[in-house]
Amino acid sequence: MHKGRVVFGAMEEVVFGRPAREAIIEQIDRLGASRAFLMVSGTLNRETDEIENIRRALGPRCVATFDAMPPHTPRAAVIAASEQARAAKADLIVTVGGGSITDGAKAVQLCLANDIRSVDDIDRLRAVNGALPPMAAPAVRQISVPTTIAGGEFSALAGVTNEKTRVKELLHHPLVMPRAAILDPALGAHTPEWLWLSTGIRAVDHCVEGICSREAHPYGDAQALKGLSMLAQALPRVKADANDLDARMDCQIGTWLSMGALVSGVPMGASHGIGYVLGAEFDVPHGYTSCVMLPFVMRWNKPDNAERQALVSAAMGHPGKDAGDVLDAFIRGLGMPRSLRDVRVGPEHFDRIAEQAMKTPWVPRNPRKIDGPAQVREILVLAA
């Protein structure tokens, strides 16, 4: 008999296949906002007219623009954005960009609500030993227009990097989930190929670790399996033709579905946990961490969950094949890195990575039990 708990998030709408500029205006009208604070990609702001077109459409309802969020969402940038939003008296945050910007806006919401004004103050927001501190709920919420496909806009989690410790820390509140997500495939045409495809593998990772979890349930499976199928078909189409907007739209919808298991309460596993450390400690792009780790984690896990892994192979169009091999070939076919060596991480770092990975929320919930750093190191050696 199935047992479990499904959590429904605070997102109200997903708009897909519409120009972002039009959909943003409709959402602002729906929400009754009058002071929109834009948190956007610096590249889009400085090298295209996409952000200026949004500002022009908003008119006086755009009160400020922040375009300086680095990868991995460092604390200092979160504080800088928070101070700018506070000074502008923002009543809504609109993000246009990748996952670091989306996560940054989630953190800004908590900073505004809890009078967080310095990098050290962020300690008051982070979970300690898995327990969340008491905090005020965000009053200034966000809507998000993603330009990459890792899927963070569909979660109530924000990963923020502590520059002092080089650890990515999770912030959480149910209401940091955006009120709406707007999926505009045309904006993705500005995203570098490596970034689109690698974040697509991050979405694949969400699907795969959700399907393979010990805590998987039918509600999450339905979304993850369909999302994985769509991503497996659409990512190579984007690789073949960057102007194929139908393929980009399928990638975005597949990414939306990829978050179904995680958002509804299914934990991720060692690929995500190790990935957090590789990103914060070694500045490896988070999409690349999945490219490098996921097939090896699958191979290490297979003795304990071969039956679930068979679902992955079938969803990717290769029933009966080894899931680790299928993922390896798929990632190689997209031209993505496939080893820790490829992302400049060597064996001399493995002990530290293993120790740090054990402190993430995901490694202890990997489907094949990981009792300590020595087992994480076994996976890292496979991925070397």
Side-chain angles (χ1 to χ4, degrees):
M1 182 176 68
H2 291 297
K3 292 182 180 179
R5 175 171 174 260
V6 172
V7 179
F8 292 92
M11 183 170 287
E12 297 158 7
E13 295 193 5
V14 178
V15 180
F16 52 95
R18 298 273 312 286
R21 183 173 67 252
E22 296 175 8
I24 289 170
I25 298 301
E26 289 176 1
Q27 289 297 317
I28 287 177
D29 289 343
R30 178 179 75 85
L31 299 171
S34 60
R35 302 187 64 80
F37 177 62
L38 302 187
M39 288 183 63
V40 303
S41 156
T43 301
L44 279 183
N45 192 30
R46 293 186 288 270
E47 298 181 17
T48 78
D49 59 3
E50 299 285 2
I51 304 303
E52 181 56 33
N53 288 340
I54 291 170
R55 276 194 292 261
R56 192 176 297 120
L58 287 171
R61 289 191 288 182
C62 176
V63 293
T65 303
F66 179 89
D67 72 350
M69 183 60 67
H72 306 297
T73 318
R75 283 187 176 198
V78 168
I79 294 300
S82 300
E83 290 302 304
Q84 189 175 347
R86 187 178 283 117
K89 297 181 170 59
D91 64 4
L92 183 71
I93 303 170
V94 179
T95 68
V96 185
S100 296
I101 294 164
T102 303
D103 276 9
K106 294 176 186 177
V108 167
Q109 292 180 74
L110 291 175
C111 290
L112 295 177
N114 292 276
D115 198 32
I116 303 298
R117 295 176 180 267
S118 73
V119 292
D120 290 335
D121 281 349
I122 292 178
D123 283 340
R124 295 196 277 118
L125 300 175
R126 65 185 183 88
V128 179
N129 297 323
L132 289 171
M135 66 181 80
V140 178
R141 301 280 302 282
Q142 80 187 78
I143 62 175
S144 288
V145 184
T147 58
T148 58
I149 49 173
E153 59 277 1
F154 297 106
S155 88
L157 298 171
V160 175
T161 298
N162 184 330
E163 297 98 311
K164 290 181 182 177
T165 61
R166 296 194 66 81
V167 171
K168 181 169 275 192
E169 300 164 337
L170 283 183
L171 309 184
H172 172 71
H173 190 284
L175 295 185
V176 300
M177 180 180 285
R179 295 187 71 176
I182 297 165
L183 308 181
D184 178 359
L187 277 181
H190 297 293
T191 303
E193 180 189 80
W194 74 267
L195 183 56
W196 183 272
L197 296 178
S198 66
T199 55
I201 297 302
R202 188 66 165 179
V204 166
D205 200 348
H206 296 323
C207 294
V208 169
E209 293 214 305
I211 293 162
C212 292
S213 171
R214 290 193 304 265
E215 301 170 52
H217 52 63
Y219 180 84
D221 285 351
Q223 295 174 84
L225 288 166
K226 178 62 175 178
L228 181 57
S229 176
M230 292 185 75
L231 288 161
Q233 295 174 60
L235 285 166
R237 289 162 54 205
V238 174
K239 171 79 171 175
D241 180 4
N243 296 312
D244 186 341
L245 294 188
D246 286 335
R248 288 192 185 274
M249 184 79 268
D250 284 352
C251 285
Q252 289 181 308
I253 293 174
T255 297
W256 173 16
L257 293 170
S258 81
M259 295 297 290
L262 174 60
V263 170
S264 64
V266 178
M268 300 290 97
S271 179
H272 278 73
I274 295 169
Y276 279 11
V277 181
L278 294 176
E281 183 93 10
F282 300 96
D283 207 31
V284 179
H286 68 293
Y288 277 0
T289 70
S290 291
C291 294
V292 169
M293 294 310 307
L294 180 59
F296 297 111
V297 169
M298 293 289 279
R299 288 168 180 158
W300 193 85
N301 285 342
K302 189 174 181 180
D304 281 30
N305 66 353
E307 183 178 340
R308 298 297 292 182
Q309 292 199 19
L311 299 176
V312 170
S313 302
M316 296 186 72
H318 298 279
K321 299 289 182 66
D322 178 84
D325 291 347
V326 170
L327 286 161
D328 187 5
F330 183 74
I331 295 166
R332 287 183 190 279
L334 295 176
M336 295 292 101
R338 278 299 302 114
S339 71
L340 287 168
R341 187 184 315 106
D342 290 344
V343 293
R344 300 184 179 87
V345 176
E348 67 274 17
H349 305 298
F350 288 0
D351 287 341
R352 176 164 173 77
I353 295 169
E355 291 281 351
Q356 290 295 107
M358 288 302 302
K359 300 174 185 176
T360 69
W362 303 138
V363 168
R365 297 174 80 177
N366 188 64
R368 180 180 171 189
K369 193 77 172 70
I370 295 178
D371 295 312
Q375 291 165 302
V376 178
R377 204 178 194 288
E378 290 176 10
I379 301 172
L380 296 172
V381 169
L382 290 176

